[in-house]
Amino acid sequence: MEKLPLFVAIAIWAVLAIIAFLLAMWWLGHVPFWQLKLDPKKQAENIVKIALTLVGGVGAVAYLVIKYQERQQAGRAEKREKDRTIDTKVQDAINQLGSDKASTRIAGVYALTDIADRYKDSYRQRVVDILCGYLRSDRSSYAPDRSRQPVWDASGHFVESVASDEAVESTILSVMHDRLRKERKDETGETIVRQTVDDDQLWCACTFDLHEATFHEAVDLTDSTFECVPCFRGTKFERRANFGGAHFAGYADFRGAHFAGGAVFVDATFARYADFSRATFTGDAYFGWATFARGADFGGAEFRASAAFLGIQGQPSLGFKECKFNEISRGAYEWGPIPIPEDNDGLPAGAMWKDFLKEDDKDGGTTNR
């Protein structure tokens, strides 16, 4: 009866009490006197007692209903007030992220993290969405911060606040890394990944939408666990991206990603399909001993430097249709268990050689070798 109006709830209980009283009267009127073993006077007294008891019960029920409704209203009011307080904190943190000072933006990152750790529930995904949205935004317009205000990185070391956004980006990545490191054990029960936060502070079950984000700093997400689908579609990694030992429980989307400073997926586990189609690996790419349980698609990808696929696990079905490898780096590729057809010039089926240096010279660009 939580959603019923107070008057209606009391009226229902009153009607039920009256029905119970009438049933009692009917029963007393139909039971033979030799079974009641009471004289008419005693029987009348019992009827009066029953009536008074039922009337008192109606009053008690009404009182309980009133108190219950008051408690429910107080609880709802308390929840509304709590939500308003948290929403205000979230908005204040978002305002800090919009500051032109790196120190203030870093404070906003930690404020949002504290909200996710303290209030959990839906606020955790909300905080992740805000931080991912910040990383997807165009941050190149931030002028160097000359305020000389003290700025600390995620390790507690002082950094001079003159860079446009690198310190803020590093802070966000560090916060994410700590909350994606879920404890993991091997077959013998030995811990291979140590957890750094409490279970209820992990972000592994959150969705990370980082499509078309640009990372100017090195990305360290080693040993991270992604239980939902992380989206790195079109993401640009200007420095090394390290996903070594990471576990992708769902579909891993790296379509069109650009790895300019090298990519490390050594010992990574892809429990479902991994999509690297049309990705560009300008730096070295390492997939050694990675596990592709459901296969992977490298169709249309470009490997402009060395690449290693040694020891990959899971009897993978890797697709390399129209995948391009740097012709001048023929000796820098290690295929491991990937079958190499005799009629494909030393490449997996569907792949091809390409002279990227000649193409870049034509276009006025450069290629890492």
Side-chain angles (χ1 to χ4, degrees):
M1 297 188 178
E2 178 181 348
K3 297 182 180 179
L4 292 177
L6 181 60
F7 175 79
V8 175
I10 295 175
I12 291 175
W13 283 110
V15 170
L16 291 175
I18 294 172
I19 292 174
F21 174 74
L22 294 176
L23 288 175
M25 294 302 97
W26 177 85
W27 180 78
L28 288 174
H30 287 73
V31 175
F33 67 89
W34 61 81
Q35 292 184 14
L36 289 174
K37 299 180 180 179
L38 294 174
D39 57 26
K41 183 178 180 181
K42 288 289 185 180
Q43 187 171 351
E45 291 178 358
N46 284 337
I47 292 175
V48 172
K49 289 179 180 179
I50 292 173
L52 292 175
T53 301
L54 290 174
V55 170
V58 171
V61 168
Y63 174 78
L64 292 175
V65 170
I66 292 172
K67 299 303 292 184
Y68 176 76
Q69 292 279 5
E70 289 177 350
R71 183 178 299 178
Q72 291 296 313
Q73 291 173 0
R76 287 192 290 268
E78 183 179 351
K79 185 178 184 304
R80 285 195 298 269
E81 183 60 31
K82 178 183 176 181
D83 290 342
R84 277 196 296 267
T85 300
I86 301 174
D87 289 342
T88 300
K89 290 183 177 181
V90 171
Q91 188 58 55
D92 289 343
I94 292 175
N95 293 339
Q96 287 179 302
L97 282 180
S99 171
D100 58 352
K101 296 180 180 179
S103 56
T104 304
R105 297 198 296 278
I106 289 175
V109 173
Y110 284 125
L112 285 169
T113 303
D114 181 67
I115 291 170
D117 290 346
R118 181 178 300 183
Y119 300 109
K120 308 172 180 57
D121 301 328
S122 60
Y123 292 102
R124 184 184 295 113
Q125 181 64 62
R126 185 176 176 185
V127 167
V128 170
D129 290 342
I130 293 170
L131 294 179
C132 287
Y134 178 85
L135 292 173
R136 292 197 309 269
S137 65
D138 181 9
R139 294 167 282 131
S140 61
S141 60
Y142 282 117
D145 186 350
R146 304 292 180 181
S147 64
R148 297 291 180 180
Q149 294 187 14
V151 177
W152 290 268
D153 64 11
S155 302
H157 299 103
F158 173 80
V159 292
E160 190 177 15
S161 182
V162 296
S164 59
D165 202 58
E166 283 80 355
V168 184
E169 181 180 297
S170 295
T171 301
I172 296 176
L173 287 170
S174 179
V175 165
M176 288 181 173
H177 191 200
D178 287 342
R179 284 152 185 77
L180 286 170
R181 287 175 60 88
K182 186 175 184 178
E183 183 177 284
R184 210 181 303 161
K185 299 179 183 293
D186 60 15
E187 298 80 3
T188 65
E190 182 179 354
T191 299
I192 56 176
V193 176
R194 295 196 177 278
Q195 196 167 304
T196 55
V197 298
D198 295 334
D199 287 343
D200 59 359
Q201 294 177 338
L202 289 171
W203 294 0
C204 303
C206 294
T207 299
F208 287 79
D209 183 3
L210 290 164
H211 76 278
E212 297 184 0
T214 298
F215 291 99
H216 306 285
E217 291 290 277
V219 174
D220 180 10
L221 291 174
T222 54
D223 297 324
S224 296
T225 295
F226 296 93
E227 295 176 355
C228 291
V229 177
C231 182
F232 293 97
R233 186 180 70 254
T235 304
K236 296 179 181 178
F237 300 91
E238 293 186 350
R239 297 177 64 183
R240 173 162 291 206
N242 194 343
F243 291 87
H247 178 74
F248 297 89
Y251 167 69
D253 188 358
F254 287 91
R255 290 174 293 167
H258 186 185
F259 298 89
V264 179
F265 289 90
V266 176
D267 287 324
T269 301
F270 299 89
R272 294 186 180 274
Y273 199 68
D275 197 341
F276 289 91
S277 59
R278 300 184 303 282
T280 301
F281 298 86
T282 304
D284 298 334
Y286 300 95
F287 289 89
W289 293 277
T291 299
F292 296 94
R294 300 286 183 90
D297 184 8
F298 289 93
E302 295 183 357
F303 289 86
R304 300 189 170 207
S306 64
F309 293 90
L310 290 174
I312 53 177
Q313 305 292 318
Q315 297 180 352
S317 173
L318 305 186
F320 290 96
K321 184 179 180 181
E322 297 182 358
C323 182
K324 302 174 181 65
F325 291 89
N326 201 336
E327 188 172 9
I328 64 175
S329 303
R330 281 177 175 260
Y333 299 105
E334 299 172 307
W335 306 114
I338 298 177
I340 307 297
E342 294 182 0
D343 60 349
N344 202 42
D345 198 14
L347 289 174
M352 64 186 71
W353 293 113
K354 187 174 184 64
D355 189 343
F356 291 108
L357 184 60
K358 182 184 297 185
E359 180 181 271
D360 287 341
D361 288 342
K362 180 178 64 177
D363 298 335
T366 60
T367 297
N368 294 338
R369 288 180 287 172

